[in-house]
Each structure stands twice: as structure tokens, then as C-alpha cells.
Amino acid sequence: MQTIRGFRDILPEHISLWQRVEQEAFSLFESFGFKEIRIPVLEKTDLFARSIGETTDIVEKEMYTFPDRKGGHLTLRPEATASICRSYIQHKMYATDPLRKFYMTGPMFRRERPQKGRYRQFYQIDAEVFGIESAYIDAELIFLLNELFKRLGLTGLTAHINSLGCPECRPSFQRALLDFLGERKELLCENCTRRIQKNPLRILDCKVESCQQALQGAPATIDHLCPACADHFDIVTTTLKKQGVEFMVDKSLVRGLDYYTRTAWEIKTTTLGAQSAVAGGGRYDGLVQELGGPATPAIGFAIGFDRLVEVMAQLEIETPKPPLDLFIIALGAAALEQAYHWSCELNQRGLRTEVDFRGKSLKSLMKRANKLNAAHVLIAGENELKENQLILRNMETKDQSSLSMDNLVPELINILKS
Ligand code: AMP
């Protein structure tokens, strides 16, 4: 049996970077006032179709959707924002405190063509803020991402920032875009020819070569901002500059989801080839209301966890693992029984201890102690048991001392924790 194409196991030997990222991210989020939220993997299809947008690649081509046994359609979540909005509305969180900051991590599902850095089940670390319209929160989220990547030791990342405007400035931009594309219609792919009526903005995100060609010199949202959006963007960029956060204004950045308004950004790396975005985010001031809640400004981002770990691995960022405190070599049935109880008690009291219960020889157990990088080895053979003199070996200095079984556990804790 094999995993499905685009799905993969993350094996224990690769997990330490994942854990390191989670620890750094969650502690940073907590210090900025975010609270963890856990949401289902499966939602009604309609939630994603309505929020991400019917004419986006995700909804048109990439969702894992299937009929429920009792009718209706369900979808494996392709992203987290829509579900978090659903939860915010469903639990009327706005009524008790409209200002909420959430973070979460978990798998997302998109049926894209698999390649390095692109999977059909991938993981995201997500942060969302509801109830704040101020541009300082936009700057804060980009600053937070920058700080996280710095703490993780990442280099070679660039923040690309743009403003997509709001419903106020969209019509003027759409007119300009349609005028521009009018003379280039024959270059557009079939998909974009269809989208031009329904959702011309999506064309800006098309990866097809001829569409890219058609878009050369196309108008940019940032040149059509209303005064309020222009001021908002100005505060974001001025604040980041003051803080020394490096970024570039990227007029061509549009993001692949329909719900974004105003500030949008992506953090790109040069280490992963074509799949260069390690995080993306933006404002979505209209979404909560669109999904049936009260008008609520909101903003968030998602980090591509798989890609982040791949970048860290390429940069040879290490996560030193604490060694095993004690490996117990127990030879013979009586020693094994004792070792079982000692190790349970030692682990209970916070000393990382292991016993190999397979009944192997002293030589092979010493090899295993080395493989496990044990700091100490306790040897309990038949003779040692009979004479009540166990051997404790410091694996680094090779020093050996003998220990009585009478007060063994407290004695070991004393020695090994000092
Ligand atoms: P998006 O909201 O689509 O911009 O996704 C946010 C981040 O998730 C991206 O910047 C990627 O790092 C990551 N991501 C998106 N799709 C995939 C995928 N199929 N495989 C791995 N990572 C992905």
C-alpha cells in the first residue's frame, strides 16, 4: 500500500524542524495576544465556494469535494480563513468581543499538480485578526512574520506587498483593466476569456504564458486606490520602513482568492525554485458580512509549513535534540523486571530513560545506547543484581561508578539532574 499521489508521511526523523517552527510561532503569536482555535477539516462546499470565489482556481479545479451520504456536498478545507470566519459568525463572537485574534495549524487539501514544494495535502500555520480596521494591524502582521522568520534563522526572504483596493476603488480599476485587455483578448486562455465577464481581476493571477504576455503593462490596482485606501497603504509601508522591515511594493501581486481587499502580501524565497511563496496574507474586510455576519474588518495570513521546513533544511538549520538521559541495560528476566519499574518511575519524574526489552546482548545494547546518544548507561546484569552493585557509566567521560539498588531512583535523579 502506498500514499496517494501528492500526499506524504512526515517521518519522525524529519519532525524536529516542524516542532521547532510550531514552538517559535505559537509563542510569538501568544505574546501578540493571539489564541489558538481548532476547526474541522471538513466543511460544507458552499462555504469555500462563496468565500474563496466561484471563479478561482481553487474552487474551479482544486477542491476535494464529494457528496455526503445524506445529500449536500462536503469539501476538505483548502485553506483556513473561511472556516475561521464561519466559526466567528456561528458562535456570535462579535457580540461579546468583536476584536479577536486566532492562530491555528493543520492540513489543507488542494488537488494541484504535485511537485517539490507543492502537495495535495499540505500544512499551513494560520493567523487571523477580526475587528481592527487600522493599518497598524496590517503592519504588525507583516512585522510578526518577519520576526518569526528571523528567529528561525531564515535568510533570502523578501516580502512583496500590494494594495488591492476596496469596493470603492474597484470599479475604476476594473474599467481600466477591461479597456486594456480589450485589444489583447485573443491572447487570453479559454479560462480567462470566460472569466473576463464574471471576474476580470482573476486574469491577473493566471499563470498561462499567453495571459502573462497579455498582461504586460496592464494597469495595477495600486494606481487606482481611493484616498482612504491610499492612506491605509501609506501607513503600512511607512510603519514597516520605520521598523526596518525589508519589503518591496509589488504591483503585480494579486493573490489567488477573491476575498482580499486593501493590503495583500507574500513572502518569497529564492531557495525553492518555482514554488517561491512561503507565506501569503491580506485583508478581507467584506468577508464576514458576506458570510452572514456583521460588517467586520479582518486580516490574516497563512504560512506554507511544508515549504518553510524545506527552506530551513536547505539552509541546514539544525534543531539540536536533547540526548537521552539514561539507557538501562538489563540482562536476564529479573533485571528486566526491575528495569521496567525503574524506567517508568524515572520518566514519570522527568528523566528521559529507555530500556530495550528485546533481551539482546550487552554488546548490542551498548551499541544501541550510542545510537540513541544516551548521556548515561546503567548496567544491570545477573551478577550486578546478585551483588547489589549496578554500574553507572558516563558515556562522554567513560567514568564508571557503582550504585546500590536500595535507593536507586532518587540516587539516579540526584546524579543525572545535577
Ligand atoms: P495561499 O493562501 O494559497 O497563498 O497559501 C498560503 C501559503 O501556503 C503559500 O504561500 C504556500 O507557501 C502554501 N501552499 C499553498 N498551496 C500549497 C501546496 N499545494 N503545497 C504546499 N504548500 C502550499
Side-chain angles (χ1 to χ4, degrees):
M1 301 285 261
Q2 299 281 313
T3 47
I4 314 164
R5 194 166 126 79
F7 288 63
R8 64 188 183 136
D9 302 314
I10 305 196
L11 300 177
E13 53 263 44
H14 298 132
I15 214 73
S16 57
L17 284 176
W18 292 77
Q19 291 175 334
R20 159 104 193 272
V21 171
E22 276 177 7
Q23 279 156 11
E24 290 283 6
F26 297 172
S27 94
L28 195 60
F29 290 153
E30 294 277 344
S31 70
F32 275 85
F34 287 75
K35 303 271 184 291
E36 187 180 352
I37 187 167
R38 298 190 188 196
I39 47 164
V41 166
L42 211 53
E43 298 267 6
K44 287 182 186 156
T45 303
D46 199 35
L47 172 66
F48 301 117
R50 276 175 56 190
S51 56
I52 298 169
E54 298 275 5
T55 46
T56 57
D57 279 355
I58 297 179
V59 173
E60 278 183 349
K61 300 188 267 196
E62 297 168 0
M63 294 202 306
Y64 282 94
T65 295
F66 52 89
D68 190 9
R69 285 176 196 271
K70 294 215 169 128
H73 279 83
L74 303 179
T75 294
L76 281 169
R77 62 179 184 204
E79 57 109 44
T81 306
S83 302
I84 297 176
C85 282
R86 194 248 330 114
S87 179
Y88 181 81
I89 299 165
Q90 181 177 335
H91 301 287
K92 297 196 171 52
M93 295 190 209
Y94 50 80
T96 47
D97 183 3
L99 198 175
R100 303 275 181 155
K101 298 180 184 178
F102 305 107
Y103 72 89
M104 59 90 53
T105 186
M108 306 295 156
F109 303 85
R110 295 182 196 172
R111 204 175 187 291
E112 294 185 83
R113 201 166 51 78
Q115 64 181 77
K116 190 165 170 54
R118 203 206 275 152
Y119 308 96
R120 290 178 170 178
Q121 175 175 329
F122 60 99
Y123 293 79
Q124 284 186 339
I125 298 176
D126 209 80
E128 313 285 345
V129 178
F130 292 83
I132 302 180
E133 198 184 351
S134 161
Y136 287 108
I137 200 74
D138 308 38
E140 191 180 83
L141 290 189
I142 297 166
F143 171 80
L144 190 159
L145 268 172
N146 189 63
E147 176 66 18
L148 173 63
F149 293 155
K150 211 159 68 182
R151 287 189 189 186
L152 292 170
L154 290 163
T155 50
L157 298 179
T158 319
H160 292 235
I161 305 180
N162 194 13
S163 177
L164 304 179
C166 69
E168 190 82 15
C169 25
R170 282 271 160 88
S172 118
F173 171 70
Q174 285 207 2
R175 268 195 308 276
L177 181 64
L178 286 174
D179 280 354
F180 176 84
L181 288 173
E183 297 145 35
R184 296 168 169 77
K185 266 190 188 141
E186 66 287 354
L187 283 171
L188 297 181
C189 70
E190 209 180 301
N191 222 357
C192 287
T193 308
R194 195 167 40 78
R195 284 167 171 176
I196 200 163
Q197 292 311 327
K198 282 195 193 163
N199 191 356
L201 243 76
R202 277 276 62 85
I203 298 173
L204 297 171
D205 195 35
C206 185
K207 304 288 180 293
V208 174
E209 179 96 36
S210 60
C211 292
Q212 289 289 321
Q213 214 181 316
L215 287 167
Q216 294 280 324
T221 49
I222 205 168
D223 298 323
H224 290 262
L225 297 181
C226 65
C229 285
D231 283 351
H232 188 99
F233 193 61
D234 192 44
I235 295 174
V236 179
T237 51
T238 314
T239 308
L240 291 173
K241 268 186 211 150
K242 271 192 191 153
Q243 287 179 295
V245 175
E246 279 181 39
F247 65 90
M248 58 178 281
V249 174
D250 181 349
K251 286 184 172 193
S252 67
L253 185 132
V254 282
R255 313 275 294 125
L257 302 85
D258 276 355
Y259 51 63
Y260 287 112
T261 53
R262 293 193 163 172
T263 321
W265 69 91
E266 273 180 4
I267 315 287
K268 299 194 182 194
T269 170
T270 44
T271 32
L272 287 184
Q275 302 310 313
S276 62
V278 287
R283 242 184 205 281
Y284 47 93
D285 289 341
L287 186 56
V288 174
Q289 191 169 33
E290 198 150 305
L291 292 176
T296 309
I299 180 166
F301 64 75
I303 299 172
F305 206 160
D306 308 66
R307 288 187 198 169
L308 188 64
V309 166
E310 267 155 41
V311 174
M312 289 172 75
Q314 289 222 354
L315 294 174
E316 295 180 5
I317 294 173
E318 306 269 340
T319 47
K321 255 198 298 183
L324 195 62
D325 294 313
L326 181 69
F327 184 73
I328 306 180
I329 294 184
L331 305 166
L336 268 179
E337 187 187 350
Q338 293 282 9
Y340 168 82
H341 291 290
W342 294 329
S343 79
C344 284
E345 208 178 321
L346 286 163
N347 274 312
Q348 211 172 25
R349 296 172 66 169
L351 216 67
R352 285 179 298 268
T353 310
E354 262 197 58
V355 189
D356 180 326
F357 292 108
R358 294 175 302 171
K360 299 267 180 187
S361 70
L362 176 64
K363 193 171 158 209
S364 95
L365 289 170
M366 276 310 278
K367 266 197 199 153
R368 189 156 183 89
N370 275 318
K371 191 170 161 195
L372 294 174
N373 195 18
H376 291 83
V377 170
L378 182 72
I379 302 171
E382 282 175 12
N383 279 343
E384 285 81 11
L385 238 57
K386 218 183 292 163
E387 287 165 21
N388 194 13
Q389 292 276 302
L390 307 185
I391 298 166
L392 182 67
R393 183 180 170 84
N394 182 321
M395 298 294 278
E396 201 189 320
T397 62
K398 316 274 188 248
D399 286 345
Q400 297 204 156
S401 53
S402 65
L403 283 178
S404 142
M405 287 188 285
D406 302 340
N407 198 26
L408 184 70
V409 167
E411 191 71 357
L412 279 169
I413 289 172
N414 237 344
I415 302 171
L416 301 190
K417 278 204 169 165
S418 64

